[in-house]
Amino acid sequence: MKIQKTDWGYIEWIQRSENQPSMNIGKVVCYPGKQMYPHIHYEEQFIYVLEGCGTGWANGTLQKIEPGAMYFMECGCEHSMKNEGDGPIIHLLVSNPVQVEMDSFIDKEETYKELSSEELIVAIEAVRGQFLDNLHSAYVIFTESGNLLYQGSYFPTYCRRTCSPQEHPGECRCMKNWIHFLETTEQTIECPYGLLVYRIPIFFNKRVVGYILGGYIRISSEEEAPIEGVYDTPESTAEGLKSLLRKASRAIRTFCEFNQFKNALFEKEALLEDSKNSREALLHNLKMAENTVTDLKINHHFLFNTLNQMASLALEGGGVPLYESIIHLARMFHYSSQTQGSLVSLRNELKYVDAYLQLQKFRYKDSLDFRYDIDDEAQDTIVPFNFLQPLVENAFVHGCDEEESKYLEIEIKARKEYVDIWVKNRGKCLTSQDCYRINVGMRGNTAHGLGMIYHKLGSIYKGGFTMKIGTRENSTVLYVRLPK
């Protein structure tokens, strides 16, 4: 049996897979007075306590460590444990890597076009939102030439203390040094401060197009002194993390393959179309269906949030505010049910938005402030139903910190042939890199909120509209230009 020594004790591996992710079984021993610092599980884990006593925490929930206690922890769980007894804590550990099959489903012999940087960014945005961000793991993605594409928001406290990666994206020494040693194989890099970083290549069309750097964990050797506050990671957890990074790399490749395959199908279908009239009728029906689906997605999301707010008001005994919030909600659903999938006046869209903001005002009270600066001439412009409220909600939810005061401004100006719309918030101010990534992502229609609205406007106005996100005067600004 293999023994892995750690800062807090040791693991006696009963079953350990070295070459590929599979179930691992071991006996874990945590010495008296020692603790496992907070860490993330990158595989499913089950523990059964054999002896000893102490406390543990899993995603903020207390675990009482005593003989006979059993706990299951999912992938992505934040866990810690402390031995508070006179003897060792001994528990059985069973870990199992998460099975997320994301391999390519397109013909292996298919020949693809050269991948553009925008296609790669769209793929990263899709995989990031659906997969990577749920892992609570530090990761950075570069092009094959070393240009930063995306850096995750989660980094261990030790990283933030030594390198400040959030203040200097892509500039940590562990991120820059590997560029001079480009290879097509996986590599493990040790950063200057003793953490291990895994570099996983991203392949497309049989060549490397980028790299994922992830991990930022510590696996000690017998000669190394402990690092205060840094968890000494079991080898099974490290293998689980590498497995997830590989799957993320394959998911990005698969998305790129599917995107090109889908575009090729669209081109072939266009060539095979015989009747212009039937084609236009089909497209019209598809657009109506797509818009209806988009509206349903948005309305269901809003309904869930709003009913939660109203339930809170009821529990607090707020009779009048609850009554008024019900009236606002009823107006919104009446508007939604009457006009779904059609074109409406901007004046009605603004009433819809105002009802939404009034509901948010009940929730946040004086911590929320908003104002309108709208040309009267613009209000009779005909616009798509329910395009404006999701943009305001996006600025409200993603642009404002939960604990801080919130300020939103909607400015609409009438031009000769266009209407210009700005939705501004003075919360989180995005970087130019963030703006570029979001703009590329929403044009790629990745099923995120902004992507759905961009796709909806595109189905109606073709290329005759503008929608982009940027910054101005310490505010994040979403700008939309629509033809009259």
Side-chain angles (χ1 to χ4, degrees):
M1 296 184 186
K2 180 178 179 180
I3 303 292
Q4 180 190 350
K5 295 184 178 180
T6 67
D7 296 340
W8 38 263
Y10 65 89
I11 305 174
E12 182 180 327
W13 291 109
I14 301 168
Q15 164 66 35
R16 175 83 175 88
S17 175
E18 298 285 350
N19 300 320
Q20 60 182 8
S22 65
M23 181 177 290
N24 298 285
I25 303 173
K27 184 176 75 173
V28 178
V29 177
C30 181
Y31 294 140
K34 295 291 185 178
Q35 63 177 316
M36 301 178 185
Y37 291 111
H39 56 280
I40 302 295
H41 286 176
Y42 300 106
E43 71 284 327
E44 297 173 336
Q45 285 194 5
F46 170 81
I47 66 172
Y48 177 77
V49 182
L50 301 172
E51 61 180 86
C53 61
T55 55
W57 293 88
N59 283 340
T61 300
L62 177 66
Q63 295 178 331
K64 188 176 182 180
I65 305 301
E66 60 185 4
M70 296 179 288
Y71 296 104
F72 172 78
M73 288 162 284
E74 296 181 340
C75 177
C77 172
E78 183 177 31
H79 182 234
S80 62
M81 182 186 292
K82 185 175 183 179
N83 188 333
E84 297 172 336
D86 297 327
I89 291 176
I90 302 177
H91 70 74
L92 181 69
L93 166 67
V94 180
S95 70
N96 193 39
V98 177
Q99 300 299 322
V100 185
E101 296 304 326
M102 296 184 178
D103 211 346
S104 174
F105 51 84
I106 309 297
D107 187 352
K108 301 296 184 184
E109 301 302 318
E110 185 77 33
T111 300
Y112 301 97
K113 298 178 181 178
E114 191 75 14
L115 190 71
S116 69
S117 59
E118 287 201 355
E119 286 180 292
L120 185 57
I121 290 173
V122 168
I124 291 169
E125 190 68 9
V127 174
R128 177 191 69 79
Q130 301 296 325
F131 178 54
L132 282 170
D133 285 354
N134 295 326
L135 298 180
H136 304 290
S137 174
Y139 69 92
V140 190
I141 304 178
F142 291 89
T143 65
E144 80 285 357
S145 58
N147 295 320
L148 178 64
L149 289 175
Y150 186 78
Q151 177 176 296
S153 59
Y154 175 88
F155 275 86
T157 302
Y158 183 65
C159 284
R160 297 198 298 269
R161 189 168 67 237
T162 55
C163 290
S164 302
Q166 298 305 101
E167 298 176 15
H168 310 286
E171 295 296 325
C172 297
R173 289 168 64 185
C174 62
M175 301 176 191
K176 303 297 287 185
N177 290 347
W178 67 270
I179 297 174
H180 304 294
F181 305 98
L182 291 177
E183 294 183 5
T184 60
T185 57
E186 295 181 6
Q187 286 190 342
T188 300
I189 307 157
E190 183 172 356
C191 86
Y193 299 98
L195 299 187
L196 297 183
V197 181
Y198 302 120
R199 193 207 72 176
I200 309 296
I202 303 169
F203 287 93
F204 181 78
N205 206 16
K206 301 179 181 180
R207 76 176 187 87
V208 174
V209 295
Y211 299 89
I212 301 179
L213 272 68
Y216 300 89
I217 60 176
R218 179 171 181 265
I219 302 178
S220 68
S221 64
E222 294 185 23
E223 301 81 27
E224 292 179 309
I227 301 176
E228 180 67 26
V230 179
Y231 178 61
D232 197 352
T233 305
E235 293 173 355
S236 63
T237 299
E239 283 299 324
L241 176 55
K242 279 196 286 188
S243 174
L244 290 172
L245 291 172
R246 293 183 191 113
K247 288 169 182 174
S249 170
R250 292 200 298 271
I252 292 171
R253 183 193 71 199
T254 297
F255 187 94
C256 292
E257 290 174 346
F258 174 75
N259 205 38
Q260 289 202 1
F261 186 74
K262 177 190 69 175
N263 292 337
L265 282 179
F266 286 163
E267 292 174 4
K268 291 175 183 177
E269 287 176 359
L271 292 174
L272 293 172
E273 190 64 55
D274 295 325
S275 169
K276 181 179 180 181
N277 291 335
S278 63
R279 180 174 181 272
E280 289 179 351
L282 175 62
L283 287 174
H284 175 73
N285 291 335
L286 285 173
K287 288 171 188 172
M288 291 294 293
E290 286 174 355
N291 288 341
T292 299
V293 169
T294 299
D295 296 335
L296 285 173
K297 288 180 182 177
I298 295 165
N299 289 339
H300 287 170
H301 173 68
F302 175 74
L303 173 61
F304 177 79
N305 291 336
T306 303
L307 290 178
N308 271 304
Q309 295 170 25
M310 291 169 62
S312 298
L313 283 172
L315 290 172
E316 293 168 4
V320 174
L322 178 59
Y323 172 76
E324 292 179 343
S325 66
I326 292 172
I327 295 298
H328 285 300
L329 185 61
R331 287 173 179 168
M332 292 191 70
F333 286 143
H334 176 73
Y335 176 76
S336 174
S337 63
Q338 294 298 313
T339 55
Q340 192 170 80
S342 63
L343 298 174
V344 296
S345 71
L346 183 56
R347 187 185 310 277
N348 287 337
E349 274 289 287
L350 288 168
K351 290 179 181 178
Y352 189 50
V353 167
D354 188 66
Y356 164 77
L357 289 176
Q358 293 297 339
L359 283 169
Q360 298 299 338
K361 185 73 172 176
F362 283 121
R363 177 182 179 185
Y364 292 103
K365 300 181 175 61
D366 292 339
S367 65
L368 170 62
D369 189 21
F370 56 87
R371 66 180 294 269
Y372 303 104
D373 181 6
I374 300 168
D375 285 353
D376 289 338
E377 182 184 345
Q379 297 205 39
D380 293 326
T381 304
I382 300 302
V383 297
F385 160 75
N386 198 20
F387 88 97
L388 186 55
Q389 184 272 335
L391 303 183
V392 174
E393 182 176 7
N394 182 81
F396 182 83
V397 174
H398 299 293
C400 300
D401 291 321
E402 186 70 20
E403 66 277 3
E404 296 180 354
S405 60
K406 301 161 182 63
Y407 177 80
L408 291 173
E409 180 178 346
I410 301 174
E411 180 182 355
I412 302 179
K413 298 299 179 185
R415 313 298 185 193
K416 184 176 181 180
E417 298 179 351
Y418 298 95
V419 171
D420 287 332
I421 302 169
W422 294 269
V423 180
K424 312 172 189 176
N425 71 272
R426 293 181 187 168
K428 303 172 185 175
C429 194
L430 300 176
T431 66
S432 58
Q433 178 193 345
D434 290 333
C435 293
Y436 177 73
R437 175 179 54 79
I438 293 171
N439 286 325
V440 171
M442 69 183 177
R443 290 198 295 270
N445 189 28
T446 58
H448 295 172
L450 291 180
M452 288 192 293
I453 297 304
Y454 188 93
H455 182 63
K456 181 175 188 173
L457 296 178
S459 70
I460 295 172
Y461 297 112
K462 304 296 188 289
F465 77 102
T466 300
M467 177 175 164
K468 61 183 180 180
I469 198 164
T471 58
R472 187 172 74 184
E473 298 175 353
N474 296 322
S475 298
T476 297
V477 181
L478 183 62
Y479 169 68
V480 178
R481 166 171 281 189
L482 300 178
K484 286 186 175 180

